[in-house]
Amino acid sequence: AMVAIGATAMSRHLPGQRMQQSARELAAQLRYTRARALATGQSQVFMLDAHTREWQAGESRNGKLPTGFDIVATGARNEQQHEGVAAVRFFPEGAATGGRFVLSKGRAAWQVDVAWLTGEVTLARATPP
């Protein structure tokens, strides 16, 4: 009985942990893209398609976020190549076009922000949209 209760409790927390891990991965890829812009002296672009959950980062890195939570992605309008695709451009001096990515499910949410002036990437709990 204790094993069944423990398994049930763990299965409830698994989607939240997956969402948090995805937010961390998203922040890491944004930071990597910024670092590549600084290191190469060339602008680098990070893109996320909120519908397909696919992302592309600097130097042809790409991946896909898992399902099980909602994504709201906001980037600079002049960087948006397609409907539903948010992009953040990082410049060689460290600045960026800015952006926000919110991953949410129910009453839980994580937010990844990119500051336009400094290009700093931050990760924090958020209020669901």
Side-chain angles (χ1 to χ4, degrees), residues 6-7 12 15 24-25 30-31 38 41 52 56 62-63 66 85 90 93 100:
R12 279 190 219 136
R24 285 182 179 162
E25 175 67 17
L30 284 157
R31 288 180 183 123
L38 291 167
T52 65
Q56 293 179 342
N62 58 60
V85 177
F90 292 93
E93 68 278 358
R100 173 171 286 169

Side-chain angles (χ1 to χ4, degrees), residues 7-122:
T8 302
M10 286 182 65
S11 67
R12 279 190 219 136
H13 293 290
L14 190 59
Q17 289 175 342
R18 187 175 300 128
M19 181 176 61
Q20 181 183 12
Q21 182 58 36
S22 295
R24 285 182 179 162
E25 175 67 17
L26 190 58
Q29 293 304 329
L30 284 157
R31 288 180 183 123
Y32 174 82
T33 305
R34 180 176 184 266
R36 293 308 308 151
L38 291 167
T40 64
Q42 298 178 340
S43 294
Q44 300 284 323
V45 178
F46 177 90
M47 292 188 302
L48 173 66
D49 185 327
H51 301 297
T52 65
R53 299 173 173 274
E54 295 176 350
W55 57 263
Q56 293 179 342
E59 295 191 348
S60 302
R61 292 169 67 111
N62 58 60
K64 188 170 183 176
L65 297 175
T67 59
F69 51 85
D70 297 323
I71 301 172
V72 176
T74 308
R77 186 180 313 237
N78 62 336
E79 293 294 334
Q80 185 175 1
Q81 296 180 1
H82 305 289
E83 183 68 30
V85 177
V88 176
R89 180 175 299 275
F90 292 93
F91 300 103
E93 68 278 358
T97 55
R100 173 171 286 169
F101 303 89
V102 179
L103 285 58
S104 65
K105 181 175 175 100
R107 295 182 357 199
W110 287 91
Q111 180 172 302
V112 180
D113 283 315
V114 179
W116 65 271
L117 183 61
T118 63
E120 179 184 14
V121 178
T122 57

